[in-house]
C-alpha cells in the first residue's frame, strides 16, 4: 500500500504560516534568535521584537473537563483557568501535560501556535486582543512570531473572545 505524500510547506514555512497564506490574510513574520537560557518564551519574543508584552500573546493548552482547549493570552499576564473553563462551558481547567500538548498540536513547547495545529482544538482568545490593531503569536517554532489582526486570528481559529487573561 502506497504512503500518502506529506504536505509540502511553502518555502520552509511552518503549518501556521502555510495556513495564513492559504487563508489570504495579511500578516507579518518576525524572526529572532531564540536564547534557550531565557526564562520566558513570550517575554523573550516581546523583547527581541521591541513590541509591548500586552501585544504578544502566548498559546497555552489546557484540559477543561477532559477536553483539550487552547487559550491565547498576553505574555504580560497569566491564564485564568476558572475563566477559561467558564468560557467554554466547563467546570474545571488545568494546564495540559506539555508532552500531550506537543503531540496534539504538532508543535514544541515555546513554539505552539494557535494556527495550523495538527488537531483543531476549541480556542479562546483573551478579550484584550480586540484592543489592538495587531497582535503577535507564535508562528510555530521558537524564535518565529507572526503578527496579524486579532479579528483574523479569531476567524481562522474559530475562537471565542473572553476575558481569560489576568495581570
Amino acid at each position: 500500500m502506497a504512503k500518502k505524500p506529506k504536505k509540502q510547506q511553502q518555502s520552509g514555512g511552518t503549518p501556521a504560516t502555510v495556513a495564513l497564506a492559504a487563508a489570504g490574510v495579511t500578516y507579518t513574520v518576525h524572526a529572532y534568535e531564540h536564547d534557550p537560557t531565557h526564562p520566558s518564551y513570550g517575554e523573550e519574543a516581546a523583547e527581541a521584537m521591541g513590541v509591548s508584552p500586552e501585544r504578544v500573546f502566548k498559546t497555552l493548552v489546557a484540559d477543561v473537563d477532559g477536553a483539550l482547549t487552547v487559550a491565547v493570552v498576553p505574555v504580560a499576564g497569566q491564564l485564568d483557568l476558572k475563566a477559561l473553563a467558564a468560557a467554554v462551558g466547563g467546570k474545571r481547567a488545568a494546564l495540559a501535560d506539555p508532552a500531550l500538548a506537543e503531540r496534539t498540536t504538532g508543535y514544541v513547547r515555546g513554539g505552539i501556535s494557535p494556527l495550523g495545529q495538527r488537531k483543531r482544538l476549541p480556542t479562546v482568545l483573551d478579550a484584550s486582543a480586540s484592543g489592538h490593531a495587531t497582535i503577535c503569536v507564535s508562528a510555530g517554532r521558537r524564535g518565529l512570531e507572526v503578527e496579524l489582526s486579532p479579528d483574523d486570528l479569531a476567524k481562522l481559529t474559530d475562537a471565542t473572545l473572553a476575558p481569560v487573561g489576568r495581570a
Side-chain angles (χ1 to χ4, degrees):
M1 183 172 196
K3 284 187 176 181
K4 274 187 168 180
K6 289 186 178 181
K7 287 185 182 178
Q8 293 296 314
Q9 294 179 2
Q10 302 168 349
S11 61
T14 66
T17 59
V18 170
L20 286 166
V25 300
T26 301
Y27 66 96
T28 304
V29 174
H30 299 277
Y32 60 92
E33 191 66 37
H34 167 61
D35 175 3
T37 65
H38 200 288
S40 167
Y41 297 115
E43 289 174 11
E44 176 192 23
E47 290 166 10
M49 295 185 304
V51 174
S52 164
E54 287 78 22
R55 281 190 47 229
V56 179
F57 283 63
K58 57 188 168 187
T59 305
L60 301 171
V61 180
D63 179 319
V64 179
D65 297 338
L68 292 181
T69 303
V70 173
V72 185
V73 297
V75 301
Q78 296 180 337
L79 171 61
D80 182 333
L81 290 165
K82 285 184 180 182
L84 175 64
V88 296
K91 294 182 188 275
R92 297 191 99 139
L95 287 178
D97 173 69
L100 178 60
E102 289 179 345
R103 276 194 316 273
T104 304
T105 63
Y107 293 116
V108 297
R109 203 174 113 228
I112 295 178
S113 177
L115 300 156
Q117 294 182 357
R118 183 177 290 152
K119 180 178 179 188
R120 190 176 183 120
L121 300 172
T123 301
V124 180
L125 175 59
D126 185 65
S128 68
S130 61
H132 305 287
T134 61
I135 61 171
C136 298
V137 296
S138 176
R141 69 174 178 252
R142 296 172 188 153
L144 195 66
E145 294 280 309
V146 65
E147 181 177 353
L148 73 164
S149 83
D151 289 342
D152 285 338
L153 178 61
K155 184 170 58 172
L156 292 172
T157 58
D158 197 24
T160 300
L161 257 65
V164 294
R166 61 181 168 167

